[in-house]
Amino acid sequence: MNQERLQQFGRIALCAVTCTGSLVGAHAQGSHESDLRMAGATRGQVDPDPQPAMSRPSTLIAQAGASSPTPEPSARPSGPEPVGQAPEQRKPDVAQLFEQPGVLTPKGKFVFEPSFQYAYSTSNRVVLVGYTIIPAIVIGLIDVREVKRTSITATLAGRYGLGNRAEMEFRLPYVLRNDDTVGRPLATGAASDTAFNAKGHDIGDIELVGRYQLNDGGADKPYFISSLRFKTRTGKDPFEVNTEGITGLQDELPTGSGFYGLQPALTVLYPSDPAVLFGTVSYLHSFARDNVTALNNNTPTFIGKVAPGGVIGVNFGMGLALNEKSSFSIGYEHSLVLHTKVNGQVPAGNVRLQLGTLLLGFSHRLSEKQTVSFSLGAGLTSDTPNVTLTFRLPMTL
């Protein structure tokens, strides 16, 4: 397997942490915000990542390192050449093994990567607020809701090779969110559904990622790559938007998590021509905030200390070369979102989330410096977005 192809598949696994981390956080935010409102608060997203996290399909990085030099042709013997002698054959570059390989961005190279992600999810819930006389009779409010969430994220990312084994990445997202909620409070005698709509668009949480290749690897030898992602809270804070007391819905949707986060990860790449096997394990820690105040009915409400739950992530998959320009990848990503705590206690109704996503990706090289890639994610658990579409266009400058 040539070095260029290995870099292409390696990017599949590396994007799983950063690219789908935001996706995991976006869904975790929607699920936990209602839990925190039950405790008199609104909770931010736990991200992300799924970024995600494979969300993020393969991209092609410029070839790092040069192919082995072509041997000098041997001197021809004097005299006539025997009839029928086969001409000397050159071994193609794609079949050559490379020395001191690097699967990250080559030293001194800069890769600019614009991307576009669309996510859609639906959920149905029945909320009982009251008490039960017998199992068949409930005194109180029965709130039936159907929530449809749409999220669009446009991201500008840049990667720079610090060396043949190290790179830095900067990600600047812009988030557009739209929630449509249809509900009917049955216990109040409502005869028809009531629709609510909330929107939000602003800059998201800026991220900074560092990666380092731990070993040389090679044919039938795995590559180990460590990474560390730092997530800021530059997006619109979920505690800054107002929540209606009657409906429990937000007037405006936040675009950020409201918490700083740090995510270490370890990625393993195993080349097996014509495929590359890959897998990643990661953990996202979101730092707690003290003296948090939320807006309820446009009135500041003191909450106290909020500590988002950690996110344990694992993904694995395989990339397969279709030809010299095109490749196909398939993988699975699973994230476990742990409990959020408010003032050291888990709010009533707060549960752990299981996010499972099946991902299919396709990548095509347009030129030596430009690649286009597309991926489709299908949610396999009830807590995961139904569908996720991602488009990327990495360019080596």
Side-chain angles (χ1 to χ4, degrees), residues 55-135:
S55 102
R56 291 179 276 304
S58 63
T59 58
L60 183 62
I61 309 303
Q63 182 170 352
S67 303
S68 302
T70 304
E72 295 293 334
S74 57
R76 294 180 179 272
S78 59
E81 184 174 320
V83 177
Q85 179 176 343
E88 184 178 357
Q89 299 291 331
R90 287 185 57 189
K91 192 174 183 180
D93 290 341
V94 294
Q96 294 178 358
L97 298 179
F98 45 89
E99 298 179 356
Q100 296 183 351
V103 296
L104 301 179
T105 306
K107 181 179 180 180
K109 296 290 185 178
F110 180 79
V111 178
F112 175 68
E113 181 182 294
S115 64
F116 177 87
Q117 184 179 79
Y118 169 85
Y120 176 78
S121 63
T122 61
S123 63
N124 296 310
R125 71 171 188 171
V126 177
V127 179
L128 305 179
V129 183
Y131 59 93
T132 303
I133 298 178
I134 61 175

Side-chain angles (χ1 to χ4, degrees), residues 145-174:
R145 290 185 182 179
E146 179 182 5
V147 182
K148 300 181 179 181
R149 292 188 171 98
T150 303
S151 175
I152 297 176
T153 304
T155 304
L156 297 179
R159 294 190 297 272
Y160 181 76
L162 302 177
N164 290 333
R165 290 191 178 186
E167 72 175 20
M168 293 295 296
E169 180 176 3
F170 176 83
R171 299 178 60 83
L172 174 63
Y174 190 87

Side-chain angles (χ1 to χ4, degrees), residues 20-21 23-29 31 46 48 50 52 311-314 332-337 352-358 379-385:
T20 64
L23 180 59
V24 172
H27 185 75
Q29 172 177 318
S31 300
V46 186
V311 181
I312 302 173
V314 59
Y332 175 76
E333 179 186 18
H334 196 93
S335 298
L336 172 62
V337 183
R352 292 181 298 180
L353 299 180
Q354 300 281 349
L355 308 179
T357 306
L358 176 67
L380 302 183
T381 63
S382 59
D383 297 322
T384 312

Side-chain angles (χ1 to χ4, degrees), residues 64-396:
S67 303
S68 302
T70 304
E72 295 293 334
S74 57
R76 294 180 179 272
S78 59
E81 184 174 320
V83 177
Q85 179 176 343
E88 184 178 357
Q89 299 291 331
R90 287 185 57 189
K91 192 174 183 180
D93 290 341
V94 294
Q96 294 178 358
L97 298 179
F98 45 89
E99 298 179 356
Q100 296 183 351
V103 296
L104 301 179
T105 306
K107 181 179 180 180
K109 296 290 185 178
F110 180 79
V111 178
F112 175 68
E113 181 182 294
S115 64
F116 177 87
Q117 184 179 79
Y118 169 85
Y120 176 78
S121 63
T122 61
S123 63
N124 296 310
R125 71 171 188 171
V126 177
V127 179
L128 305 179
V129 183
Y131 59 93
T132 303
I133 298 178
I134 61 175
I137 300 178
V138 176
I139 303 300
L141 175 67
I142 304 177
D143 189 11
V144 181
R145 290 185 182 179
E146 179 182 5
V147 182
K148 300 181 179 181
R149 292 188 171 98
T150 303
S151 175
I152 297 176
T153 304
T155 304
L156 297 179
R159 294 190 297 272
Y160 181 76
L162 302 177
N164 290 333
R165 290 191 178 186
E167 72 175 20
M168 293 295 296
E169 180 176 3
F170 176 83
R171 299 178 60 83
L172 174 63
Y174 190 87
V175 181
L176 298 92
R177 296 182 57 191
N178 182 86
D179 283 9
D180 291 311
T181 304
V182 179
R184 178 185 297 186
L186 299 181
T188 61
S192 61
D193 293 333
T194 302
F196 304 91
N197 177 266
K199 298 180 180 179
H201 58 88
D202 206 336
I203 188 175
D205 290 339
I206 296 176
E207 300 177 3
L208 184 65
V209 187
R211 300 187 182 94
Y212 182 76
Q213 181 178 325
L214 300 176
N215 67 329
D216 287 338
D220 295 326
K221 295 181 181 179
Y223 294 82
F224 294 94
I225 300 172
S226 62
S227 65
L228 184 65
R229 180 172 71 104
F230 175 70
K231 183 185 67 64
T232 66
R233 40 175 289 195
T234 53
K236 181 168 292 185
D237 198 317
F239 301 106
E240 297 174 349
V241 298
N242 181 58
T243 301
E244 291 293 338
I246 299 178
T247 63
L249 301 176
Q250 295 171 316
D251 295 336
E252 182 181 4
L253 299 179
T255 60
S257 65
F259 298 91
Y260 289 101
L262 198 63
Q263 182 182 41
L266 178 65
T267 298
V268 180
L269 308 176
Y270 186 82
S272 180
D273 205 6
V276 171
L277 308 178
F278 55 83
T280 300
V281 292
S282 64
Y283 177 78
L284 173 63
H285 173 75
S286 296
F287 297 95
R289 289 179 58 182
D290 296 319
N291 301 319
V292 175
T293 301
L295 287 178
N296 291 316
N297 290 326
N298 294 312
T299 302
T301 302
F302 181 76
I303 298 175
K305 182 178 181 179
V306 179
V311 181
I312 302 173
V314 59
N315 66 70
F316 55 87
M318 177 190 70
L320 180 65
L322 303 179
N323 52 48
E324 286 302 311
K325 291 188 176 182
S326 301
S327 63
F328 173 81
S329 62
I330 182 172
Y332 175 76
E333 179 186 18
H334 196 93
S335 298
L336 172 62
V337 183
L338 303 179
H339 295 287
T340 294
K341 293 184 178 180
V342 178
N343 296 320
Q345 302 294 325
V346 178
N350 184 279
V351 297
R352 292 181 298 180
L353 299 180
Q354 300 281 349
L355 308 179
T357 306
L358 176 67
L359 293 124
L360 303 176
F362 176 79
S363 178
H364 181 75
R365 185 179 62 183
L366 300 177
S367 64
E368 292 296 329
K369 295 186 177 182
Q370 193 173 53
T371 302
V372 60
S373 63
F374 176 83
S375 73
L376 168 66
L380 302 183
T381 63
S382 59
D383 297 322
T384 312
N386 299 58
V387 62
T388 305
L389 303 176
T390 307
F391 172 82
R392 289 188 179 82
L393 187 66
M395 297 172 284
T396 302

Side-chain angles (χ1 to χ4, degrees), residues 15-35:
C15 282
V17 178
T18 57
C19 302
T20 64
S22 55
L23 180 59
V24 172
H27 185 75
Q29 172 177 318
S31 300
H32 283 318
E33 282 171 357
S34 59
D35 297 331

